[in-house]
Amino acid sequence: MKLSRRGFLGVGVGAVAAVGLASCTPRANWVRPDGPEVEDRERRRKNSGRATSVTLTAAQTVWDLAGSPAATWAFDSGPASVVRLRAGDTVAATVRNRLEADLSVHWHGLALRNDMDGVSPLTQQPIGAGGDFEYRFRAPDPGTYWFHSHFGTQLDRGLYGALIIEDPSEPGAYDDEWVIVLDDWLDGVTATPDGVLADLSVGMGSGGGMGDMFMRMGNTLMGATSDLLAGDAGDVFYPHYLVNGKPPTDPAQFVARPGSRIRLRIINAGGDTAFRFAVGGHSLTVTHTDGFPVDPTVVDSILLGMGERYDAIITLGDGVFPLVAFAEGKRDRAFALVRTGGGEAPAAPESMSELRGGRVGVADVLTAASGAGLPARAPDRTIALTLTGGMEKYDWGIDGKRFDMDRPLTAAHEVRAGERVQLQVANSTDMWHPFHLHGHTYQHAKGGPRKDTSIVLPRQTLTVEFDADNPGVWLAHCHNLYHAESGMATVIGYRAS
């Protein structure tokens, strides 16, 4: 997610990255991504003494989407690869870039060392075409995480995977575990992500006022509205919605015995789509969100913004059941099958009862589990951010400014190590935004869950708190890929002592 550089359109990718790195190098009074404070924090992280090595090769490939080939970029075989390790392990991930473009990889949700966060050129130089880079860091916290390219619009290709950090001390009161990666897909089918961004960047002008009319205009959707999201749900047309890389016409299948208790690890890897997830004929007990435990909460469905993860326990009935991720507001869905016995596969469920109102799992209905919340403490500092812009001019930003990755520290927000920081994110726009903070988890107000990515509804304010315990310069941004690429981002940076 290397944000737009309209002033450098005539410069080659490698030259742009070099210029960006030189101009964004932190001054002496900002903690450097590879500074001694970062090294000291890494030494003090939980250390299991084990190392987990993995190689990720980024290359051109073709995915088979139910007989329809889609030329894309992906890591290795893709899609939806899974990397597993245990809490406290050292990750040694060699990324081999075999693309004709620069690349960097972000380890989404992890409180890792700053120079391994994968934001080019803020925390590292990009991995050039044909180059290799080893990400090496300790992974302290168990949970459901993921990794993805953080360069340009590459997230909306196949450059992502699940990262599961297991807790050896967790009771594990379930029979099996399924990793479920949801995605919206267009690359190599109707457009490329770069083409979509170019179309959106023109803006909709007066076309934004077409009321309830639902229609497609090229790569853009008009009238995709959702009550759950309080208005405009998204603006990009996707021909496919996927579960673990498979479309509804060739559905992924999950097989188990009746009565089995299954832990679902659900990840929204989409670019512009919120998914409402449900399994026909079943309730879900939410146990974690964004890696951290919550008091078990029974729901009928779960709403996931882009970048969010939820874990849930399900006890399976006997038969064949639809697993559905409804593309909120877009009148389409991802679809898979759960099989525990014989019977015909269910028809595509357009109106499953679990998706019609009822109990919806969102952050506001969850409470941090005992021991998972932050210790009670008054904030030392408040940072207020206002999400701004709109579809008319496609001028998304924060505090009325479009973020410039070539000068990322120009308006950086200061924190100091040891502070309790209250973050107030006010959404002044008419559209929802999934807000993501790198390198930290924060807690929602009034004992709410610990998270790193949260939905901020139109005209609402998200108030959260985090402890400034991971020095560096950290990106905070909307996780709608196209909003971020247009400028809805900022930096929260630690001052050197």
Side-chain angles (χ1 to χ4, degrees):
M1 210 179 292
K2 182 163 170 288
L3 306 183
S4 301
R5 303 151 175 252
R6 292 181 175 84
F8 287 83
L9 293 179
V11 184
V13 173
V16 167
V19 171
L21 183 66
S23 63
C24 82
T25 300
R27 297 171 299 184
N29 56 346
W30 291 108
V31 170
R32 294 183 58 89
D34 59 353
E37 303 92 339
V38 174
E39 291 286 353
D40 178 65
R41 182 67 183 92
E42 182 74 351
R43 284 193 296 270
R44 292 185 288 110
R45 294 191 205 280
K46 178 180 178 180
N47 184 7
S48 69
R50 296 181 302 268
T52 297
S53 298
V54 62
T55 299
L56 302 171
T57 301
Q60 296 183 20
T61 189
V62 176
W63 283 7
D64 178 9
L65 299 176
S68 174
T72 189
W73 302 349
F75 290 123
D76 305 302
S77 58
S81 57
V82 178
V83 174
R84 287 185 177 272
L85 57 147
R86 286 188 286 179
D89 286 3
T90 293
V91 179
T94 299
V95 176
R96 304 170 67 239
N97 183 5
R98 300 302 177 258
L99 301 168
E100 295 181 358
D102 287 354
L103 174 72
S104 65
V105 176
H106 171 54
W107 309 87
H108 185 116
L110 292 188
L112 78 174
R113 55 181 300 152
N114 192 219
D115 56 351
M116 295 291 113
D117 193 46
V119 180
S120 171
L122 178 66
T123 65
Q124 71 169 96
Q125 295 189 34
I127 308 169
D132 297 350
F133 182 83
E134 183 184 65
Y135 290 91
R136 190 175 185 89
F137 55 88
R138 292 180 191 168
D141 299 315
T144 301
Y145 303 94
W146 64 304
F147 57 90
H148 59 80
S149 172
H150 213 290
F151 199 96
T153 61
Q154 292 175 6
L155 170 60
D156 224 6
R157 298 181 186 265
L159 293 166
Y160 61 82
L163 179 65
I164 307 302
I165 302 178
E166 298 171 341
D167 184 354
S169 64
E170 190 175 59
Y174 48 88
D175 302 303
D176 202 356
E177 177 184 298
W178 298 342
V179 177
I180 299 172
V181 182
L182 311 176
D183 195 12
D184 44 20
W185 192 268
L186 56 79
D187 191 38
V189 180
T190 56
T192 66
D194 286 339
V196 171
L197 180 60
D199 287 354
L200 291 170
S201 296
V202 174
M204 295 174 60
S206 60
M210 298 183 69
D212 295 331
M213 183 180 297
F214 182 85
M215 61 183 295
R216 173 191 174 190
M217 298 177 61
N219 295 318
T220 303
L221 278 179
M222 309 283 288
T225 60
S226 160
D227 290 340
L228 274 179
L229 296 174
D232 189 353
D235 299 294
V236 178
F237 168 76
Y238 290 92
H240 297 292
Y241 295 95
L242 311 179
V243 175
N244 291 357
K246 287 183 168 291
T249 48
D250 179 27
Q253 302 204 27
F254 300 90
V255 180
R257 294 180 178 178
S260 296
R261 284 173 54 84
I262 308 296
R263 180 177 184 168
L264 308 179
R265 295 183 182 264
I266 313 160
I267 302 168
N268 184 351
D272 179 74
T273 305
F275 288 103
R276 192 164 16 135
F277 176 91
V279 179
H282 294 75
S283 61
L284 307 166
T285 300
V286 177
T287 61
H288 300 71
T289 179
D290 291 358
F292 281 76
V294 298
D295 289 341
T297 304
V298 179
V299 300
D300 298 306
S301 64
I302 300 171
L303 180 68
L304 297 96
M306 295 81 79
E308 285 192 289
R309 294 91 61 212
Y310 280 83
D311 291 19
I313 297 293
I314 184 171
T315 302
L316 297 176
D318 188 358
V320 185
F321 305 97
L323 182 154
V324 177
F326 179 69
E328 191 66 27
K330 296 187 176 182
R331 306 186 186 184
D332 206 343
R333 74 279 183 273
F335 174 71
L337 292 173
V338 175
R339 291 186 177 274
T340 64
E344 294 293 324
E350 303 300 335
S351 58
M352 273 172 38
S353 61
E354 290 79 10
L355 294 174
R356 295 199 304 268
R359 302 166 296 182
V360 182
V362 293
D364 286 349
V365 304
L366 301 176
T367 302
S370 176
L374 294 176
R377 176 182 169 184
D380 302 297
R381 183 187 300 269
T382 297
I383 297 175
L385 306 175
T386 301
L387 309 181
T388 54
M391 282 297 299
E392 290 78 9
K393 298 180 180 179
Y394 219 74
D395 55 349
W396 304 109
I398 291 181
D399 297 330
K401 301 175 182 177
R402 290 186 173 188
F403 183 70
D404 182 358
M405 186 59 94
D406 296 307
R407 297 171 180 82
L409 298 174
T410 300
H413 299 269
E414 174 186 341
V415 299
R416 292 184 182 269
E419 291 182 331
R420 171 66 56 83
V421 181
Q422 184 179 88
L423 191 59
Q424 298 175 353
V425 185
N427 183 359
S428 72
T429 80
D430 293 324
M431 189 172 182
W432 74 285
H433 302 281
F435 180 84
H436 175 48
L437 174 63
H438 286 221
H440 302 76
T441 60
Y442 46 70
Q443 185 170 12
H444 281 232
K446 299 179 181 179
R450 292 278 297 275
K451 289 179 66 62
D452 57 71
T453 310
S454 298
I455 290 173
V456 191
L457 294 176
R459 309 297 170 178
Q460 300 295 313
T461 297
L462 171 72
T463 300
V464 297
E465 294 184 0
F466 69 92
D467 285 335
D469 57 3
N470 197 19
V473 285
W474 301 98
L475 199 66
H477 62 95
C478 175
H479 219 277
N480 181 311
L481 170 65
Y482 299 99
H483 295 180
E485 278 297 295
S486 297
M488 189 173 275
T490 189
V491 168
I492 294 176
Y494 286 62
R495 288 286 189 183
S497 57

Short mmCIF file of all heavy atoms in Angstrom, two decimals, residues 47-77:
data_model
loop_
_atom_site.label_atom_id
_atom_site.label_comp_id
_atom_site.label_asym_id
_atom_site.label_seq_id
_atom_site.Cartn_x
_atom_site.Cartn_y
_atom_site.Cartn_z
N ASN A 47 10.45 -14.61 24.08
CA ASN A 47 11.32 -15.36 23.17
C ASN A 47 11.23 -16.85 23.50
O ASN A 47 11.65 -17.28 24.57
CB ASN A 47 12.76 -14.87 23.30
CG ASN A 47 13.69 -15.54 22.32
OD1 ASN A 47 13.26 -16.29 21.44
ND2 ASN A 47 14.98 -15.29 22.47
N SER A 48 10.68 -17.62 22.57
CA SER A 48 10.55 -19.06 22.78
C SER A 48 11.86 -19.80 22.53
O SER A 48 11.99 -20.97 22.90
CB SER A 48 9.47 -19.63 21.85
OG SER A 48 9.92 -19.58 20.50
N GLY A 49 12.80 -19.14 21.86
CA GLY A 49 14.03 -19.81 21.47
C GLY A 49 13.93 -20.57 20.17
O GLY A 49 14.92 -21.12 19.68
N ARG A 50 12.73 -20.59 19.58
CA ARG A 50 12.53 -21.28 18.30
C ARG A 50 12.51 -20.27 17.17
O ARG A 50 12.15 -19.12 17.37
CB ARG A 50 11.21 -22.06 18.30
CG ARG A 50 11.13 -23.20 19.30
CD ARG A 50 9.78 -23.90 19.17
NE ARG A 50 8.68 -22.97 19.38
CZ ARG A 50 8.10 -22.74 20.56
NH1 ARG A 50 8.52 -23.38 21.64
NH2 ARG A 50 7.11 -21.89 20.67
N ALA A 51 12.84 -20.73 15.98
CA ALA A 51 12.73 -19.90 14.77
C ALA A 51 11.88 -20.65 13.75
O ALA A 51 12.05 -21.86 13.57
CB ALA A 51 14.10 -19.59 14.20
N THR A 52 10.98 -19.92 13.13
CA THR A 52 10.15 -20.48 12.06
C THR A 52 10.55 -19.82 10.76
O THR A 52 10.45 -18.60 10.62
CB THR A 52 8.66 -20.23 12.34
OG1 THR A 52 8.29 -20.91 13.54
CG2 THR A 52 7.80 -20.73 11.19
N SER A 53 11.06 -20.61 9.83
CA SER A 53 11.54 -20.08 8.55
C SER A 53 10.50 -20.34 7.47
O SER A 53 9.88 -21.40 7.42
CB SER A 53 12.87 -20.72 8.16
OG SER A 53 13.87 -20.42 9.12
N VAL A 54 10.32 -19.35 6.61
CA VAL A 54 9.39 -19.48 5.50
C VAL A 54 9.94 -18.68 4.33
O VAL A 54 10.62 -17.67 4.51
CB VAL A 54 7.98 -18.98 5.90
CG1 VAL A 54 8.01 -17.50 6.28
CG2 VAL A 54 6.96 -19.23 4.80
N THR A 55 9.69 -19.16 3.13
CA THR A 55 10.06 -18.42 1.92
C THR A 55 8.80 -18.09 1.14
O THR A 55 7.97 -18.97 0.87
CB THR A 55 11.01 -19.25 1.04
OG1 THR A 55 12.21 -19.52 1.77
CG2 THR A 55 11.36 -18.50 -0.24
N LEU A 56 8.63 -16.82 0.81
CA LEU A 56 7.49 -16.35 0.02
C LEU A 56 8.04 -15.80 -1.29
O LEU A 56 8.83 -14.86 -1.29
CB LEU A 56 6.73 -15.26 0.77
CG LEU A 56 6.17 -15.62 2.14
CD1 LEU A 56 5.63 -14.38 2.84
CD2 LEU A 56 5.09 -16.68 2.02
N THR A 57 7.60 -16.40 -2.40
CA THR A 57 8.06 -15.95 -3.71
C THR A 57 6.93 -15.24 -4.43
O THR A 57 5.89 -15.85 -4.72
CB THR A 57 8.55 -17.13 -4.55
OG1 THR A 57 9.62 -17.79 -3.87
CG2 THR A 57 9.05 -16.65 -5.91
N ALA A 58 7.11 -13.95 -4.67
CA ALA A 58 6.12 -13.16 -5.39
C ALA A 58 6.39 -13.25 -6.88
O ALA A 58 7.50 -12.94 -7.34
CB ALA A 58 6.18 -11.71 -4.93
N ALA A 59 5.40 -13.70 -7.63
CA ALA A 59 5.59 -13.89 -9.07
C ALA A 59 4.25 -13.80 -9.79
O ALA A 59 3.18 -13.87 -9.17
CB ALA A 59 6.23 -15.26 -9.35
N GLN A 60 4.33 -13.64 -11.10
CA GLN A 60 3.12 -13.69 -11.91
C GLN A 60 2.59 -15.11 -11.93
O GLN A 60 3.36 -16.08 -11.95
CB GLN A 60 3.41 -13.22 -13.33
CG GLN A 60 3.85 -11.77 -13.42
CD GLN A 60 4.05 -11.32 -14.86
OE1 GLN A 60 3.54 -11.94 -15.80
NE2 GLN A 60 4.80 -10.24 -15.04
N THR A 61 1.29 -15.25 -11.94
CA THR A 61 0.67 -16.56 -11.98
C THR A 61 -0.73 -16.42 -12.56
O THR A 61 -1.18 -15.32 -12.88
CB THR A 61 0.61 -17.18 -10.57
OG1 THR A 61 0.19 -18.54 -10.66
CG2 THR A 61 -0.35 -16.42 -9.67
N VAL A 62 -1.39 -17.54 -12.71
CA VAL A 62 -2.78 -17.55 -13.19
C VAL A 62 -3.61 -18.37 -12.22
O VAL A 62 -3.28 -19.53 -11.93
CB VAL A 62 -2.88 -18.14 -14.61
CG1 VAL A 62 -4.36 -18.22 -15.04
CG2 VAL A 62 -2.09 -17.30 -15.61
N TRP A 63 -4.66 -17.78 -11.68
CA TRP A 63 -5.59 -18.50 -10.81
C TRP A 63 -6.76 -19.01 -11.62
O TRP A 63 -7.24 -18.34 -12.55
CB TRP A 63 -6.11 -17.59 -9.71
CG TRP A 63 -5.14 -17.34 -8.60
CD1 TRP A 63 -3.84 -17.73 -8.55
CD2 TRP A 63 -5.39 -16.62 -7.39
NE1 TRP A 63 -3.26 -17.31 -7.38
CE2 TRP A 63 -4.18 -16.63 -6.65
CE3 TRP A 63 -6.50 -16.00 -6.85
CZ2 TRP A 63 -4.08 -16.01 -5.40
CZ3 TRP A 63 -6.40 -15.38 -5.61
CH2 TRP A 63 -5.21 -15.40 -4.89
N ASP A 64 -7.21 -20.20 -11.27
CA ASP A 64 -8.38 -20.78 -11.92
C ASP A 64 -9.60 -20.46 -11.07
O ASP A 64 -9.78 -21.00 -9.99
CB ASP A 64 -8.21 -22.30 -12.04
CG ASP A 64 -9.41 -22.98 -12.67
OD1 ASP A 64 -10.32 -22.27 -13.16
OD2 ASP A 64 -9.47 -24.23 -12.66
N LEU A 65 -10.44 -19.57 -11.57
CA LEU A 65 -11.66 -19.21 -10.86
C LEU A 65 -12.84 -19.89 -11.56
O LEU A 65 -13.48 -19.35 -12.45
CB LEU A 65 -11.85 -17.69 -10.85
CG LEU A 65 -10.73 -16.90 -10.15
CD1 LEU A 65 -10.96 -15.41 -10.28
CD2 LEU A 65 -10.60 -17.32 -8.70
N ALA A 66 -13.06 -21.15 -11.17
CA ALA A 66 -14.15 -21.95 -11.73
C ALA A 66 -14.06 -22.03 -13.25
O ALA A 66 -15.05 -21.86 -13.96
CB ALA A 66 -15.50 -21.40 -11.30
N GLY A 67 -12.86 -22.30 -13.76
CA GLY A 67 -12.67 -22.44 -15.19
C GLY A 67 -12.36 -21.15 -15.90
O GLY A 67 -12.05 -21.15 -17.10
N SER A 68 -12.40 -20.03 -15.18
CA SER A 68 -12.08 -18.74 -15.77
C SER A 68 -10.69 -18.33 -15.30
O SER A 68 -10.49 -18.08 -14.11
CB SER A 68 -13.11 -17.68 -15.35
OG SER A 68 -12.71 -16.40 -15.81
N PRO A 69 -9.69 -18.28 -16.18
CA PRO A 69 -8.33 -17.93 -15.75
C PRO A 69 -8.21 -16.46 -15.41
O PRO A 69 -8.75 -15.59 -16.10
CB PRO A 69 -7.47 -18.29 -16.97
CG PRO A 69 -8.41 -18.18 -18.13
CD PRO A 69 -9.77 -18.56 -17.63
N ALA A 70 -7.49 -16.17 -14.32
CA ALA A 70 -7.26 -14.79 -13.90
C ALA A 70 -5.76 -14.60 -13.73
O ALA A 70 -5.16 -15.16 -12.81
CB ALA A 70 -8.00 -14.50 -12.60
N ALA A 71 -5.15 -13.82 -14.61
CA ALA A 71 -3.73 -13.51 -14.49
C ALA A 71 -3.54 -12.53 -13.35
O ALA A 71 -4.19 -11.49 -13.28
CB ALA A 71 -3.21 -12.91 -15.80
N THR A 72 -2.63 -12.87 -12.42
CA THR A 72 -2.45 -12.03 -11.25
C THR A 72 -1.03 -12.17 -10.73
O THR A 72 -0.19 -12.83 -11.35
CB THR A 72 -3.47 -12.43 -10.15
OG1 THR A 72 -3.42 -11.45 -9.11
CG2 THR A 72 -3.20 -13.81 -9.59
N TRP A 73 -0.76 -11.53 -9.60
CA TRP A 73 0.48 -11.70 -8.87
C TRP A 73 0.15 -12.36 -7.54
O TRP A 73 -0.83 -12.00 -6.89
CB TRP A 73 1.15 -10.35 -8.59
CG TRP A 73 1.47 -9.55 -9.83
CD1 TRP A 73 1.42 -9.96 -11.12
CD2 TRP A 73 1.88 -8.18 -9.86
NE1 TRP A 73 1.78 -8.94 -11.97
CE2 TRP A 73 2.07 -7.83 -11.21
CE3 TRP A 73 2.13 -7.22 -8.89
CZ2 TRP A 73 2.48 -6.56 -11.62
CZ3 TRP A 73 2.54 -5.95 -9.28
CH2 TRP A 73 2.72 -5.63 -10.62
N ALA A 74 0.98 -13.30 -7.12
CA ALA A 74 0.68 -14.02 -5.88
C ALA A 74 1.96 -14.53 -5.26
O ALA A 74 3.02 -14.57 -5.90
CB ALA A 74 -0.28 -15.18 -6.14
N PHE A 75 1.86 -14.91 -3.98
CA PHE A 75 2.95 -15.58 -3.30
C PHE A 75 2.84 -17.08 -3.53
O PHE A 75 1.84 -17.71 -3.19
CB PHE A 75 2.90 -15.31 -1.79
CG PHE A 75 3.24 -13.90 -1.41
CD1 PHE A 75 2.35 -13.13 -0.69
CD2 PHE A 75 4.46 -13.34 -1.77
CE1 PHE A 75 2.67 -11.84 -0.32
CE2 PHE A 75 4.78 -12.04 -1.41
CZ PHE A 75 3.88 -11.28 -0.69
N ASP A 76 3.86 -17.65 -4.16
CA ASP A 76 3.94 -19.10 -4.34
C ASP A 76 2.69 -19.62 -5.02
O ASP A 76 2.21 -19.03 -5.98
CB ASP A 76 4.23 -19.78 -3.00
CG ASP A 76 5.49 -19.20 -2.36
OD1 ASP A 76 6.54 -19.25 -3.00
OD2 ASP A 76 5.39 -18.64 -1.25
N SER A 77 2.15 -20.72 -4.52
CA SER A 77 1.01 -21.33 -5.21
C SER A 77 -0.24 -20.50 -5.05
O SER A 77 -1.08 -20.47 -5.93
CB SER A 77 0.76 -22.75 -4.68
OG SER A 77 0.53 -22.72 -3.28
#
